[in-house]
Amino acid sequence: MRVIRGDTKVVGVFGWPVEHSLSPAMHNAAFIALGMPYIYIPFPVRPDAIGTAIRSLPSLGIVGINLTIPHKETVMPFLDEITQEAKEIGAVNTVHCVDGQLLGDNTDGRGFYQPLETMGFRAYGKLAVVIGAGGAARSVVYRLIKSGARVILSNRTKARAEQLAQDVYNAGYSHEKIEIVADGDIQRLSRAIKDADLLVQTTRVGMYPNANEMPSIPMESIHREMIVYDLIYNPLKSRLLQAAELHGCSTISGVQMLVTQGAFAFERWTGVWPPTDVMEAAVVESLTK
Ligand code: NAP
């Protein structure tokens, strides 16, 4: 049991619901491993209370907060400053309270990309196929485009993929870098995957409790020279990743992104890069309990 003292610093997560968040386990494990006087607390914040809750951070002396569903977008008007990356993505997942000012950031894109770099992948000049165009896909697509990749994007609702491509263009990146493929156009998707260096699955298909579901991806096009990255972290290894492994592909689970986006938030609040192996072990333990 940890002792909370007068000088213990508080960070945490605002969500509604927040009970299932894995962030308290992973951040507290890192604080304990480093012997740092911090505690990470889950705060159930109702949707209509986000403004009051976030504006109270300076008066409570809370150092930083993560935002999860449904607060990532609605928190933005209440912040004093927002990083360029968070503005582009259109969502904030980390707030840092500095000298009474609230700075909003989004660490999902960096959390997504660093595990790829660790594998030796460099996006510049590469072709990536991204399935899905929801909130998580936005950070993935921006990061890939900024790093010099070409992206082929496919989503069940085509208009959402088109909107994402338009937003990327409006942010000043070249239009030619993103091609939209209709969800049902299996032939085009098949060719794209054959040519691709990276396949990123960003939809909810295959997520707990529907772990048996497979996204509609032409698996015969997957090849061993590509990396298959599934953002889903529950289950730890989705059906898609299991199938990709059988095809001889390198794979990355959403656990890596979850831990790394958390590590960037941790670093922003404390100035210290945390032990990501400890954080990952805490996530795996929580998910396998
Ligand atoms: P979101 O904004 O609600 O977007 C959901 C996406 O899934 C959309 O592209 C949606 O397509 C698609 N989708 C949902 N049900 C579908 C179905 N039955 N068939 C085909 N497509 C379907 O959600 P999100 O926040 O982006 O999260 C998406 C996934 O990423 C979740 O599994 C989440 O856990 C994971 N995630 C992981 C991390 C991490 O750190 N590893 C971070 C964020 C999210 P439509 O546009 O057609 O509805």
Side-chain angles (χ1 to χ4, degrees), residues 69 72-73 108 111-112 131-139 154-161 183 201-208 213-216 229-234 253-262:
I69 292 169
K72 284 182 169 191
E73 291 93 20
D108 279 341
F112 158 72
I131 309 295
R138 294 184 69 84
S139 27
S154 182
N155 189 47
R156 178 179 62 177
T157 310
K158 195 176 177 201
R160 208 170 176 191
D183 190 36
Q201 197 303 112
T202 76
T203 77
R204 295 173 176 274
V205 182
M207 191 173 95
Y208 176 86
E213 287 180 0
M214 267 291 263
S216 56
Y229 196 149
D230 197 335
L231 264 50
I232 288 174
Y233 50 81
N234 187 11
S253 157
V255 175
Q256 301 299 316
M257 174 171 167
L258 178 71
V259 167
T260 315
Q261 62 76 30

Side-chain angles (χ1 to χ4, degrees), residues 62-275:
I62 293 176
V63 174
I65 282 292
N66 283 136
L67 284 315
T68 185
I69 292 169
H71 302 311
K72 284 182 169 191
E73 291 93 20
T74 52
V75 74
M76 295 177 82
F78 302 103
L79 304 177
D80 298 303
E81 238 184 282
I82 297 175
T83 60
Q84 180 65 20
E85 188 164 5
K87 278 187 199 156
E88 286 176 350
I89 295 168
V92 161
N93 76 343
T94 301
V95 170
H96 189 196
C97 190
V98 187
D99 299 331
Q101 297 285 296
L102 298 174
L103 172 68
D105 192 8
N106 193 315
T107 63
D108 279 341
R110 279 164 279 162
F112 158 72
Y113 194 61
Q114 201 196 65
L116 281 167
E117 286 188 308
T118 303
M119 263 194 172
F121 179 87
R122 299 290 177 271
Y124 190 83
K126 300 276 174 39
L127 177 64
V129 173
V130 177
I131 309 295
R138 294 184 69 84
S139 27
V140 167
V141 168
Y142 269 102
R143 177 52 54 171
L144 288 170
I145 292 290
K146 280 165 101 154
S147 307
R150 279 190 305 125
V151 171
I152 292 182
L153 183 59
S154 182
N155 189 47
R156 178 179 62 177
T157 310
K158 195 176 177 201
R160 208 170 176 191
E162 285 167 347
Q163 184 62 53
L164 173 50
Q166 186 62 43
D167 291 347
V168 171
Y169 177 64
N170 292 345
Y173 303 102
S174 164
H175 221 310
E176 288 100 63
K177 291 261 178 138
I178 304 186
E179 181 192 334
I180 313 281
V181 173
D183 190 36
D185 190 349
I186 294 296
Q187 278 192 348
R188 177 66 194 108
L189 197 55
S190 221
R191 280 203 311 279
I193 293 173
K194 275 187 187 140
D195 292 342
D197 306 285
L198 173 68
L199 173 68
V200 191
Q201 197 303 112
T202 76
T203 77
R204 295 173 176 274
V205 182
M207 191 173 95
Y208 176 86
N210 302 311
N212 275 331
E213 287 180 0
M214 267 291 263
S216 56
I217 293 171
M219 292 305 286
E220 66 285 357
S221 313
I222 301 238
H223 54 85
R224 58 173 57 244
E225 286 78 33
M226 79 189 316
I227 299 175
V228 178
Y229 196 149
D230 197 335
L231 264 50
I232 288 174
Y233 50 81
N234 187 11
L236 293 165
K237 198 183 282 179
S238 64
R239 264 194 72 192
L240 171 66
L241 289 194
Q242 291 174 30
E245 275 183 4
L246 291 176
H247 279 74
C249 306
S250 305
T251 60
I252 306 181
S253 157
V255 175
Q256 301 299 316
M257 174 171 167
L258 178 71
V259 167
T260 315
Q261 62 76 30
F264 278 108
F266 188 107
E267 186 186 37
R268 177 175 278 287
W269 298 326
T270 65
V272 175
W273 184 255

